[in-house]
């Protein structure tokens, strides 16, 4: 493939940015990549594993002359980064991000960017339970969705960023920021909060020991712990910055959970059976949509 | 391996019983296997795919002369089966089950079995989202736990059943019935109910379309749908028969969820971060205990 951006600058070198770098190398669509991380330790690790062509020690050096700047820091850190880099951005460059919420990122970043810069927020729907520069791998985005929020940016800048993400392996869709935040509250943010909660409950119990919880963790709980092992800082910022949509969905969740609890308490088996039958259809839809495998044992590798 | 039971009878031919049959074939530890299912359709399917040496049309024919009878029907059906087979059991045989709760199974089955029969309840901690006779496979129990509840049975009968489960690939532990039900409420039953609830909420939403929920389902929700696709009848019976432990844990869960909701509403980022950091440790313990893989992308196969 031919180069899409001559120079890409990654701000923040966690799972997503490092995977973007490796996927860009695989595709050959980036001329030169610079990277910056807040801590010396992360920068040293990044250099050690050959992440980016150059790891710089300051934000400003990192973004100079960049055609694409990727903000890959927690949502709560976006504003400070935007303020610092804004005066040093090349005219005509594109700024994007990979945050899990979009409205708050726009509010934090857009006011500081000059008119000459294209700001196109983005969100790749991909991740693992691991974080940090060593967690990245080139295939993370393959056949996953990347949602872009055009937000009034020039259409050629949006199109170019879409081409870049497709080269990294992703499918690209456009979405309005508020709608994005609502969809993600349902499909990702609330499930994560709930998984965190259930794992926390298990950790607290005195009549069931920790070692039993771990030793006998069956499919349900094991899946929850995997979800609940994601990066704490990132998720704190997600919930604080997508507060309204998250609380709305949690309200609905609590309502439904209480109805099921009541059915258990009163022995209403029909209510339970009907509810459990309905949820199977959604699962079928997800497999048909190619978003997951049907492999036995939940598709986990045996090795 | 040498034969452990000359004749095994499987009552109910779903995922677990069919996997037990194939695992027994792999190990060569069963002389002859008979099977029974309630519906003609399941019996026909079982015959078509070569499940068991003989599929019988009545319960009584199936258990005659059996050395081990495996009750693999939903918990709510155990009592009726026990009543029907009790007069036809061979003296000295062992009856076991594979139900997800143990106290209610004991209450439903034990009163009907003659003194000459060893009753050793069991619970293999293994499953997939699929059900029915065609869902079974020989490796389902490999390196999974099977919990046996000795419940006062003769130690040689318990030991023999343990040997059989180990031959099927499982690790075997002994546990008291009530403690079992409490551990499973935490590690399996409540996580399933919560996953069902979240998937139900998504299905209900009007401002986020079903197709969006499916198309953009990220890791969190996708894992929930996998859990929530399990057999509705089995899960209805699990909740109705492990009512007290489930409701206790759900009460704890709701309490913690409300605390996290409040932290989101009030913007208490420290509370969220501390909570999310703590849950990582449990995940680490599960990986160290060999109950899951650390593979990227949650260990899902790419194919």
């Amino acid at each position: 493939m031919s180069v899409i951006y001559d120079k890409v600058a990654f701000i923040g070198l966690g799972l997503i940015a490092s995977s973007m770098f490796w996927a860009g190398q695989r595709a050959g669509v980036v001329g030169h990549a610079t990277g910056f991380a807040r801590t010396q330790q992360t920068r040293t690790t990044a250099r050690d594993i050959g992440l980016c062509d150059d790891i710089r020690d300051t934000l400003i050096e990192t973004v100079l002359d960049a055609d694409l700047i990727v903000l890959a820091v927690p949502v709560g850190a976006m504003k400070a980064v935007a303020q610092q880099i804004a005066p040093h951005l090349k005219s005509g460059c594109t700024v994007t991000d990979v945050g899990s919420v979009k409205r708050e990122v726009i509010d934090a970043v857009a006011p500081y960017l000059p008119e000459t810069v294209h700001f196109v927020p983005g969100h790749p729907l991909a991740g693992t339970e691991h974080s940090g520069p060593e967690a990245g791998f080139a295939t993370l985005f393959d056949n996953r969705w990347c949602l872009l929020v055009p937000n009034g940016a020039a259409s050629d800048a949006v199109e170019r960023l879409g081409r870049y993400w497709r080269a990294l392996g992703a499918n690209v869709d456009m979405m309005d920021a508020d709608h994005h935040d609502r969809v993600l509250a349902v499909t990702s943010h609330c499930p994560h909060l709930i998984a965190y909660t259930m794992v926390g409950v298990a950790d607290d119990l005195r009549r069931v020991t920790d070692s039993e919880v771990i030793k006998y963790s069956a499919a349900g709980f094991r899946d929850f712990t995997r979800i609940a092992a994601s990066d704490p800082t990132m998720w704190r910022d997600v919930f604080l910055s997508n507060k309204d949509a998250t609380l709305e969905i949690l309200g609905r969740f609590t309502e439904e959970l209480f109805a099921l609890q009541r059915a258990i308490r009163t022995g209403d088996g029909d209510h339970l059976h009907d509810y459990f039958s309905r949820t199977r259809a959604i699962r079928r839809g997800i497999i048909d949509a190619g978003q997951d495998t049907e492999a036995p044992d939940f598709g986990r590798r045996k090795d």
Side-chain angles (χ1 to χ4, degrees), chain A:
Chain A
M1 236 176 279
S2 58
V3 167
I4 296 172
Y5 292 107
D6 283 330
K7 191 178 161 197
V8 174
F10 295 103
I11 312 296
L13 297 171
L15 168 68
I16 298 296
S18 57
S19 295
M20 288 176 75
F21 171 73
W22 296 119
Q25 294 288 101
R26 183 186 63 171
V29 293
V30 172
H32 187 268
T34 57
F36 172 81
R38 194 172 45 85
T39 69
Q40 177 67 55
Q41 194 191 333
T42 303
R43 295 198 294 269
T44 301
T45 302
R47 286 184 185 114
D48 287 348
I49 64 173
L51 201 64
C52 298
D53 300 298
D54 263 317
I55 299 293
R56 301 291 171 84
D57 290 319
T58 71
L59 265 177
I60 292 162
E61 289 173 86
T62 310
V63 303
L64 282 178
D65 295 322
D67 303 291
L68 176 70
I69 295 93
V70 180
L71 308 178
V73 297
V75 173
M78 295 274 184
K79 182 177 172 175
V81 170
Q83 286 176 308
Q84 287 179 69
I85 63 172
H88 309 279
L89 296 172
K90 185 165 82 173
S91 177
C93 78
T94 295
V95 173
T96 190
D97 78 302
V98 296
S100 307
V101 300
K102 297 273 64 79
R103 173 56 58 200
E104 184 130 332
V105 167
I106 292 171
D107 291 348
V109 172
Y112 303 99
L113 299 184
E115 292 268 321
T116 55
V117 164
H118 307 290
F119 179 42
V120 187
H123 180 202
L125 306 186
T128 75
E129 71 197 75
H130 302 291
S131 37
E134 294 168 297
F137 53 101
T139 57
L140 179 62
F141 308 110
D142 287 353
N143 295 313
R144 297 294 169 206
W145 285 100
C146 181
L147 301 176
L148 297 183
V149 179
N151 199 38
S155 60
D156 58 340
V158 176
E159 183 277 327
R160 193 175 173 193
L161 185 62
R163 203 146 36 88
Y164 171 64
W165 271 109
R166 275 188 289 270
L168 303 188
N171 302 312
V172 174
D173 253 1
M174 304 296 160
M175 202 179 271
D176 163 74
D178 294 320
H179 192 68
H180 167 279
D181 290 354
R182 187 179 298 277
V183 169
L184 269 289
V186 178
T187 59
S188 172
H189 305 169
C190 285
H192 272 83
L193 191 75
I194 288 161
Y196 275 120
T197 307
M198 190 64 223
V199 174
V201 167
D203 189 34
D204 260 359
L205 287 172
R206 288 293 162 264
R207 282 190 278 182
V208 175
T209 67
D210 282 1
S211 66
E212 284 173 325
V213 166
I214 287 168
K215 191 171 170 187
Y216 304 119
S217 81
F221 188 72
R222 210 169 49 221
D223 284 338
F224 278 33
T225 63
R226 200 163 46 240
I227 299 171
S230 309
D231 184 53
T233 303
M234 183 194 118
W235 282 102
R236 176 198 65 196
D237 286 2
V238 164
F239 296 118
L240 294 181
S241 57
N242 197 19
K243 186 184 291 199
D244 294 345
T246 304
L247 291 177
E248 182 199 329
I249 304 299
L250 285 177
R252 294 290 305 266
F253 172 82
T254 313
E255 202 176 283
E256 300 249 356
L257 184 63
F258 283 168
L260 289 171
Q261 270 184 267
R262 195 172 50 240
I264 293 172
R265 201 181 300 278
T266 62
D268 185 352
D270 290 343
H271 179 92
L272 296 173
H273 192 273
D274 289 350
Y275 201 95
F276 301 162
S277 300
R278 190 158 62 84
T279 56
R280 273 198 153 176
I282 286 213
R283 175 66 187 157
R284 174 59 42 200
I286 285 175
I287 291 171
D288 291 347
Q291 291 293 293
D292 206 352
T293 78
E294 239 191 319
D297 197 27
F298 301 165
R300 270 188 213 108
R301 287 193 193 94
K302 297 294 183 184
D303 52 358

